[in-house]
Amino acid sequence: GDMAWSAEGDYLFYVLRDEETLLPHKVFRHKVGTSQDTDELVYEEKDTTFYLSVGNTRSMEFIELSISSTTSSETRLIKSNNPTSSPEIFYKREKDHLYSVDHDPASDRFLIESNWNATNFRLLEVNLIDSKVKENWKEIIPHREAVLLQAVIPFPKHLVVMERENGLKKLRILDKESLNSRTVNFNDPSYTAYLASNPEYDVDRFYFGYSSMRTPDSLFSVKLDTGRKRLLKEAEVKGIFSSSDYKVERKFIAARDGTQVPVSLVYRRDRYLKNKNIQNSLITIIPMLNKTGFYTNNRYSNHFLKNYDINRNYPIKYYINTMISRIIGDYDIIIDHHEGYKYHVSDKGSIGSTLSPVNFDKKLLEKILNKLNKHINDKGKKFVFNTRLKYPVGSLRNFIIEKFPK
């Protein structure tokens, strides 16, 4: 579990969990070389909605007790060179206020990440003596409506800032003296990044993790003064693989309510079809509607009318087929298993499983059709072109159930 050491290494601080709830609720101080029976209780959290942890600040000058719930938090500190002293409250907990601190000894201050008047958090500073009065806190990075402040790591001459904007995490190196910042560049427009373990304060670099749809999980170091990255380790991908064979793109697609939704794409560069891109396409998955027809291997439904043929009565108001067409809206391709397994084997007049091109290039669709049928051995399940039907037909549900059986 969590633990921390005194400056001389003669005292160990650790957390004890409640035997019934397993919540961490007590911090004890153990003197090295003595029996655990003589350990002293340093702090006990009696509010069961709060979690308790203990650790050293990165400067190693303080032992930090972090007490937090979903909407509130509190920090208490003990000087590492005075381990037998009582923990001192940095700032008393209050409703709907979350904050965390880190010691920045080179600037003789504490950094505070706080949501005080800042839904997306902001960065402030204060010395320990003045920390108990919130009005003494001075702002360094203000609150921004479109940017979430997630973490700040201090170093002697720099701050490393992790933020989230447009759904992506970003890393900045902030020069303490000039407040100029340098952004760490990533190789792909869509990715996952995180701050790795950075336990040391007085160093000239920091570490972060990175991965994308074409890049295995990787660990990098970054020089604080230049921002230069160095790859230290990358997860092994078995078989023949080269990330340069693939390209990642990130697009924003407008939803029906106008909201811009980010979409990440990855494809092999050598398989990319120029001038055949699908722009603003819509894929709609319809859940199984005609259960009766599916389980009896026919296309009839008892949901609305007895023996109602869902393939024959289009477009009649309020019938299944009409409603399906309205749900689909604009489409490029309809994949349809509307007649049940092998139905058209026994009924030669049926067209069976179909691909219906609407706003789509026919030559490209032929390639898709060939790919699909290559892996279907049963002739009764192969796809054909729908050239006879004007409207989308069937409940479009067999394909879903065949793909994801119970």
Side-chain angles (χ1 to χ4, degrees):
D2 299 334
M3 58 183 178
W5 289 95
S6 63
E8 299 298 325
D10 51 347
Y11 284 94
L12 173 68
F13 293 77
Y14 63 91
V15 170
L16 190 68
R17 294 180 179 270
D18 184 272
E19 292 182 357
E20 293 184 2
T21 65
L22 299 182
L23 290 173
H25 69 132
K26 292 181 179 179
V27 172
F28 282 89
R29 178 173 50 236
H30 171 75
K31 183 172 177 59
V32 176
T34 65
S35 172
Q36 188 175 0
D37 295 336
T38 62
D39 290 357
E40 297 179 285
L41 178 64
V42 176
Y43 176 78
E44 179 180 4
E45 178 55 50
K46 296 183 179 180
D47 189 334
T48 57
T49 65
F50 282 78
Y51 288 81
L52 176 63
S53 64
V54 67
N56 290 100
T57 59
R58 292 174 58 256
S59 66
M60 300 301 291
E61 294 186 18
F62 291 88
I63 296 155
E64 180 180 347
L65 281 67
S66 297
I67 309 155
S68 62
S69 69
T70 305
T71 59
S72 179
S73 60
E74 181 178 282
T75 296
R76 300 186 179 216
L77 299 170
I78 301 172
K79 290 186 177 180
S80 297
N81 59 8
N82 187 15
T84 58
S85 61
S86 299
E88 183 178 347
I89 297 176
F90 183 87
Y91 183 80
K92 189 176 181 179
R93 72 186 73 174
E94 57 187 1
K95 185 180 178 181
D96 296 327
H97 182 208
L98 291 168
Y99 77 91
S100 60
V101 306
D102 201 351
H103 188 216
D104 187 10
S107 302
D108 191 24
R109 64 182 179 180
F110 275 84
L111 297 177
I112 312 160
E113 298 166 44
S114 170
N115 69 344
W116 170 40
N117 293 333
T119 303
N120 288 334
F121 288 81
R122 55 178 172 153
L123 183 68
L124 305 103
E125 64 174 349
V126 72
N127 59 54
L128 186 57
I129 297 175
D130 298 327
S131 68
K132 292 180 178 61
V133 179
K134 200 162 48 176
E135 284 68 28
N136 291 331
W137 299 2
K138 297 180 181 179
E139 188 175 78
I140 302 175
I141 299 178
H143 174 258
R144 292 153 294 171
E145 292 293 337
V147 181
L148 174 64
L149 179 65
Q150 292 195 295
V152 178
I153 304 179
F155 294 91
K157 296 182 180 180
H158 301 86
L159 300 177
V160 173
V161 181
M162 185 173 73
E163 304 164 326
R164 185 185 288 271
E165 184 176 9
N166 286 328
L168 291 176
K169 291 181 180 180
K170 298 182 179 181
L171 291 173
R172 288 193 299 132
I173 303 171
L174 188 68
D175 183 272
K176 285 184 179 180
E177 186 175 344
S178 66
L179 295 182
N180 292 329
S181 67
R182 184 193 306 272
T183 301
V184 177
N185 295 320
F186 299 126
N187 297 331
D188 298 296
S190 180
Y191 56 85
T192 297
Y194 59 91
L195 285 167
S197 178
N198 289 274
E200 296 179 274
Y201 175 80
D202 194 6
V203 290
D204 63 351
R205 67 198 66 199
F206 77 96
Y207 302 92
F208 76 91
Y210 175 87
S211 65
S212 75
M213 298 172 78
R214 71 182 184 109
T215 307
D217 195 19
S218 308
L219 180 66
F220 287 85
S221 67
V222 183
K223 294 279 287 184
L224 290 166
D225 55 349
T226 64
R228 185 169 182 175
K229 297 183 300 183
R230 180 187 176 192
L231 177 62
L232 302 178
K233 186 178 181 180
E234 184 177 271
E236 179 183 0
V237 178
K238 294 183 178 180
I240 300 174
F241 171 78
S242 174
S243 61
S244 61
D245 291 339
Y246 298 86
K247 185 175 181 179
V248 175
E249 293 188 14
R250 191 170 193 252
K251 305 286 187 181
F252 280 87
I253 308 297
R256 292 176 181 176
D257 62 356
T259 302
Q260 293 292 314
V261 180
V263 177
S264 298
L265 307 172
V266 62
Y267 54 85
R268 282 184 62 102
R269 296 177 186 272
D270 59 343
R271 303 290 176 86
Y272 180 68
L273 299 175
K274 293 183 179 180
N275 302 320
K276 300 294 183 183
N277 300 331
I278 306 172
Q279 297 294 334
N280 298 323
S281 295
L282 178 66
I283 297 175
T284 303
I285 297 176
I286 309 296
M288 184 170 68
L289 300 176
N290 184 16
K291 289 185 178 182
T292 305
F294 176 74
Y295 288 116
T296 58
N297 198 24
N298 62 50
R299 64 194 184 196
Y300 295 98
S301 171
N302 291 325
H303 294 316
F304 290 81
L305 296 174
K306 187 175 182 180
N307 295 327
Y308 167 60
D309 186 340
I310 63 175
N311 289 345
R312 291 287 181 263
N313 296 290
Y314 185 94
I316 300 177
K317 193 175 183 181
Y318 303 127
Y319 279 7
I320 294 176
N321 233 8
T322 307
M323 286 187 278
I324 291 171
S325 178
R326 290 175 179 172
I327 292 172
I328 293 173
D330 296 331
Y331 48 83
D332 292 307
I333 301 175
I334 296 174
I335 300 174
D336 189 0
H337 268 275
H338 68 282
E339 301 200 312
Y341 298 140
K342 303 184 182 179
Y343 186 90
H344 66 285
V345 175
S346 59
D347 182 358
K348 301 301 181 183
S350 168
I351 61 172
S353 306
T354 64
L355 285 182
S356 304
V358 181
N359 300 311
F360 209 77
D361 182 80
K362 186 175 180 181
K363 290 184 178 180
L364 181 57
L365 192 60
E366 287 177 353
K367 293 183 179 181
I368 296 174
L369 192 72
N370 292 334
K371 284 282 186 181
L372 283 170
N373 286 335
K374 182 179 179 181
H375 302 285
I376 302 174
N377 296 323
D378 191 333
K379 291 183 179 181
K381 295 183 181 180
K382 287 185 180 291
F383 288 89
V384 296
F385 278 118
N386 176 6
T387 57
R388 290 163 32 191
L389 298 177
K390 184 178 180 182
Y391 302 106
V393 299
S395 65
L396 307 179
R397 83 291 182 213
N398 288 18
F399 177 78
I400 309 302
I401 294 179
E402 189 176 49
K403 190 74 175 177
F404 306 101
K406 292 182 179 179

